[in-house]
Amino acid sequence: MHRLAAHQLLPRLRDRQLRARDLLEQALGRIGRLEPTLHAFLHLQADQARAQADRIDAELDAGRDPGPLAGLPVALKDNLCLQGMPTTCGSRILEPFVPPYDATVVRRLQAAGAIVVGKTNLDEFAMGSSTENSAFGPTRNPWDPGRVPGGSSGGSAVAVAAGMVPLALGSDTGGSIRQPAAFCGVCGLKPTYGRVSRHGLVAFASSLDQVGPLARDVRDCALLLGVLAGHDPLDSTCEDRPVPDYPALLERGVEGLRLGIPRAFLQGLEPEMATSFEEATEALVGCGARLVDVDLPHLEYALPAYYILAPAEASSNLARFDGVRYGLRVSGPDVAAMMRRTRAAGFGAEVKRRIVLGTYTLSAGYHEAYYSRAQKVRSVVSRDFQEALARVDLLVLPTTPIPAFPLGEKTADPLDMYLSDVYTVGVNLAGLPGLSVPMAPVRGLPAGLQVIGRAWDEGRLLACGQALQSVRPYHLAQPQAALFDGGMA
Ligand code: GLN
């Protein structure tokens, strides 16, 4: 069952060829076998999941409809709150924290009949591009366990890629859904800012964060987005707009669509990635799309602007972890010392780096030179996107400049790590939707085509992804069986 997509499992569950409980046991068995190698999960809740699966089976047996995801095992990135289970954000400072409420996306999943099996590993507070910044050890890429899975939603991407669960949730502030999806050979969608509720997502950079799906194929992304999207009175930035029937839009194809390629921005792309990208865009031409060169003259400033703005917001958001309200407390002779010791012991090196940078760029005297200027760059980058997307229907570019890199290769050089996000952060600055779909492998490793569109145009992105996938089914490739102890069950 681990090879099947959610949309293939659902009819089997509905016509009772497959029981939710059996599917869950297979998922748990596979997790048990692969976890020692891959470490995708931080917490599991096998017993609660079994009870839920039995409830779903009883409903289905009785001929009732328990929802559009009924009986499907799902995994949550561990920065999403699920009542009664720890939410660590991959950080020691939240290690003892158990949230008293569910994130809105979690409530929506449960109302749709999905079964949460556990929480997945991530870079601490979602800051990173490799999942190596987790306080609980790195996750490994199932295509080559010597390589990173990408990040920060590395655990969720691996859980799907390795066939542990058909669906998972990630969050994307600067690429954290799309980049790990590309590195692991799965599909990932970062929705338009405001499409999906952030209530119960632990904030990293509130003006950039979005929750979104990681799945085996584009149809599953559409299915899951349909469940996640929609207005939430608990998040004032979540807009009240109708939610399209995304799966119904998938077969619209790309006939007659103009796809913009920012050629200047892609100069210097390594030859094999360039070849894979050309091959994917030519395949879309074969489906009836037209390629148009577009200019996004300020896109090269997106990365530096992002690495000012995201740490600035993070320094403010992370001020609440003070040893008083949540998680870890290291005692001291007075309150200030307690806070200092708690934060010194609780946060890892990358999180501290961002708090220091963010505090600096927001401080009196430097605010104008850094934070305000980066905000101006953000406006200019957004305008570039808007102008380009007035001339073309979608933009396409690789999701990442290189495929998955070896563990440890970039940990000593934060700037080198930040460059992993060069093609993804602009989308977050502009609040636009972005989809990553597998394209031809590069040096035997998965690679992703990124499709970017106008705000609220997720349906068109998904139709483009579906078109590529139907003529270039790279999403069906599986990680090497030989890598897994005991083989693939
Ligand atoms: N890699 C980027 C960063 O480190 C993006 C992370 C994310 O999207 N959460 O900030």
Side-chain angles (χ1 to χ4, degrees), residues 77 125-129 151-152 171-177 204 306-307 310 354 418 421 425 428:
K77 185 176 182 178
F125 286 103
M127 297 175 191
S129 312
S152 60
S171 66
D172 191 313
T173 305
S176 280
I177 292 175
F204 163 10
Y306 170 86
Y307 276 99
R354 303 229 188 168
Y418 298 169
D421 310 322
V425 293
N428 300 73

Side-chain angles (χ1 to χ4, degrees), residues 77 79 122-130 133 151-153 171-180 190 204-205 208-210 303 306-307 310-311 350 354 417-421 424-425 428:
K77 185 176 182 178
N79 59 356
L122 68 158
D123 286 298
E124 187 175 2
F125 286 103
M127 297 175 191
S129 312
S130 68
N133 292 337
S152 60
S153 312
S171 66
D172 191 313
T173 305
S176 280
I177 292 175
R178 292 159 286 157
Q179 187 253 21
K190 179 254 170 217
F204 163 10
L208 303 163
D209 301 338
Q210 271 292 287
L303 192 78
Y306 170 86
Y307 276 99
E350 181 60 26
R354 303 229 188 168
M417 186 72 85
Y418 298 169
L419 285 171
S420 309
D421 310 322
T424 48
V425 293
N428 300 73

Side-chain angles (χ1 to χ4, degrees), residues 34-35 38-41 75-78 119-122 129-131 139-143 148-171 175-189 212-217 404 436 446 479 484:
L34 299 181
E35 267 301 280
L38 300 177
H39 188 39
F41 282 88
L76 306 176
K77 185 176 182 178
D78 197 24
K119 311 279 289 289
T120 58
N121 199 11
L122 68 158
S129 312
S130 68
T131 316
T139 297
R140 289 167 181 272
N141 192 314
W143 293 84
V148 303
S152 60
S153 312
S156 285
V158 169
V160 172
M164 296 167 159
V165 287
L167 300 173
L169 297 193
S171 66
S176 280
I177 292 175
R178 292 159 286 157
Q179 187 253 21
F183 277 15
C184 293
V186 299
C187 295
L189 175 72
L214 286 136
R216 194 134 324 138
D217 63 19
S436 181
F484 301 125

Side-chain angles (χ1 to χ4, degrees), residues 52-78:
Q52 273 179 41
D54 290 344
R55 241 189 343 266
I56 297 285
D57 275 330
E59 298 231 357
L60 286 166
D61 286 340
R64 285 192 290 270
D65 177 9
L69 302 180
L72 293 177
V74 299
L76 306 176
K77 185 176 182 178
D78 197 24

Side-chain angles (χ1 to χ4, degrees), residues 189 192 195 218 222 225 244-254 257 394 433 435 451 453-466:
L189 175 72
T192 306
R195 180 72 286 185
V218 173
L225 179 65
D245 180 354
Y246 294 112
L249 301 175
L250 284 176
E251 303 303 335
R252 286 192 315 184
V254 289
L257 291 191
L394 295 167
L435 171 70
V451 186
R454 299 171 194 146
W456 314 104
D457 213 5
E458 283 85 354
R460 205 192 294 260
L461 270 67
L462 291 161
C464 178
Q466 177 77 2

Side-chain angles (χ1 to χ4, degrees), residues 335-367:
V335 172
M338 180 280 286
M339 288 183 179
R340 252 194 328 271
R341 289 181 188 182
T342 298
R343 287 168 69 85
F347 289 132
E350 181 60 26
V351 173
K352 286 178 182 159
R353 179 179 297 119
R354 303 229 188 168
I355 291 172
V356 170
L357 281 172
T359 306
Y360 178 78
T361 60
L362 285 174
S363 58
Y366 296 100
H367 181 281

